Amino acid sequence: MIISTDRPDAPDIPLTAPGGIDRAAHHRFDEAWLAAAWSHPTTRVFVVSGGQALIDDTPDGRTELVMTPAFEAPVTETHRYFLGTDEDGVRYFALQKDALPGRMDQSARPAGLREAGMLLSARDAALMAHAVALENWQRLHRFCSRCGERTVIAAAGHVRRCPACGAEHYPRTDPAVIMLVTDDRDRALLGRQVHWPAGRFSTLAGFVEPGESIEQAVVREVAEEAGVAVGEVRYVASQPWPFPSSLMLGFLARATSPRITVDGEELHEARWFSREELGAAFESGEVLPPTGISIAARLIELWYGKPLPAGFPR
């Protein structure tokens, strides 16, 4: 296996653009500072519930997170997460609630990150991704993995502390590799998972295993899912993927043999496509491309040379 450090020009990937937010992690344990920040009149707050937040369309055609001053925010005792500050000194918090609040004007609508991430500004998308990731972790890790005691929230939502044994638990991030594989004829390998509808194809992906480098994970996953041997591996870019707690690590990889043998468990089908063949398949509707916020579409576009037509989220 050859690992190349030459990084190709990274495409524009949703959820990764600079949002101008300083997470200001040094304030998370400063209860006096957090209390003052919460009560400041410029502080802005939004609610997250079940991976959704309220978004609203503005008269000038933009889409924004519905945020309020802290004094207008719903009451919550503990599930208040400090997300950071912007260059103007505005502090941002998210509140985790069992349900999103109603809106008297009825203009706002609930949206998950897959929809909202394509519509919001870089700042709002970054804030929502941070909040959704914390909410997912908080909901799934309420008890100490060491002694089983119920844990309590600390560090403005970024730590859960066990009052019985003193253990501290931090948000988990599961690294996953996602890769576009090409062969010596510069064809792209795309696969269809067993639970996807007919015609829907995308890049291969899988989780990094313990004791494994991310490059080794690329080689292993491609071999396991499609039976294709991979040589050169080039890193492209990463993308936060809080569904519920992944970090997608994007690669371009070169196959050493075009022979395909799908595993039948994760992949139902895998095929090599030339650019001309893929374009014709898009045109006829034989292939439905990935779109939306996933890095999968961006990786394919790097090879394809132009934007993909409308399709389905990865």
Side-chain angles (χ1 to χ4, degrees):
M1 176 181 61
I2 300 174
I3 301 172
S4 172
T5 57
D6 295 330
R7 184 171 178 267
D9 292 335
D12 293 330
I13 300 171
L15 306 182
T16 63
I21 298 295
D22 178 359
R23 294 197 173 196
H26 57 288
H27 288 310
R28 293 174 185 168
F29 289 95
D30 189 338
E31 294 298 334
W33 186 93
L34 290 170
W38 177 258
S39 63
H40 198 279
T42 65
T43 293
R44 290 296 176 264
V45 181
F46 65 96
V47 175
V48 60
S49 179
Q52 292 189 318
L54 290 177
I55 62 174
D56 205 354
D57 299 322
T58 66
D60 60 359
R62 295 177 294 111
T63 301
E64 296 180 336
L65 274 176
V66 174
M67 291 192 266
T68 66
F71 64 83
E72 294 181 4
V75 176
T76 183
E77 294 182 358
T78 57
H79 292 276
R80 184 172 75 186
Y81 310 143
F82 172 60
L83 303 179
T85 65
D86 65 19
E87 59 185 9
D88 296 320
V90 176
R91 287 88 164 184
Y92 296 91
F93 287 81
L95 298 181
Q96 177 182 325
K97 303 289 287 184
D98 291 334
L100 295 175
R103 293 278 290 173
M104 293 182 62
D105 57 17
Q106 299 298 313
S107 64
R109 65 184 187 277
L113 192 58
R114 282 184 171 89
E115 174 192 355
M118 295 295 292
L119 303 173
L120 297 173
S121 67
R123 183 203 68 180
D124 284 7
L127 290 170
M128 186 174 176
H130 190 175
V132 167
L134 285 177
E135 184 206 19
N136 285 332
W137 173 68
Q138 293 283 357
R139 289 187 184 277
L140 296 174
H141 296 81
R142 296 177 178 177
F143 296 90
C144 180
S145 59
R146 179 183 294 176
C147 71
E149 184 71 26
R150 180 178 285 274
T151 55
V152 296
I153 296 174
H158 294 77
V159 172
R160 291 193 73 98
R161 184 175 292 130
C162 180
C165 69
E168 290 189 344
H169 305 279
Y170 294 83
R172 62 177 291 171
T173 297
D174 302 320
V177 292
I178 184 167
M179 45 276 174
L180 180 71
V181 181
T182 57
D183 67 1
D184 58 1
R185 295 166 57 186
D186 203 25
R187 297 179 300 174
L189 178 66
L190 301 180
R192 182 166 71 85
Q193 292 189 12
V194 293
H195 61 276
W196 286 356
R200 181 180 170 189
F201 282 81
S202 187
T203 54
L204 276 57
F207 286 103
V208 180
E209 294 188 346
E212 182 178 54
S213 73
I214 54 177
E215 295 85 1
Q216 290 169 337
V218 170
V219 175
R220 176 185 52 77
E221 283 289 343
V222 175
E224 288 179 356
E225 294 188 5
V228 173
V230 165
E232 182 182 5
V233 175
R234 290 195 294 164
Y235 172 74
V236 177
S238 64
Q239 181 189 40
W241 196 247
F243 305 109
S245 57
S246 296
L247 175 67
M248 303 303 293
L249 305 162
F251 290 86
L252 299 178
R254 180 70 73 173
T256 59
S257 170
R259 184 171 180 269
I260 295 174
T261 306
V262 296
D263 63 0
E265 296 182 2
E266 294 189 53
L267 286 189
H268 177 76
E269 181 182 4
R271 293 167 55 186
W272 292 106
F273 292 90
S274 68
R275 292 174 182 82
E276 294 74 18
E277 290 169 340
L278 189 59
F282 288 154
E283 185 69 24
S284 68
E286 178 187 0
V287 170
L288 307 173
T291 58
I293 66 171
S294 171
I295 190 176
R298 310 291 97 77
L299 291 173
I300 297 173
E301 286 171 350
L302 271 178
W303 164 83
Y304 192 53
K306 57 184 176 181
L308 302 183
F312 293 88
R314 174 65 166 85

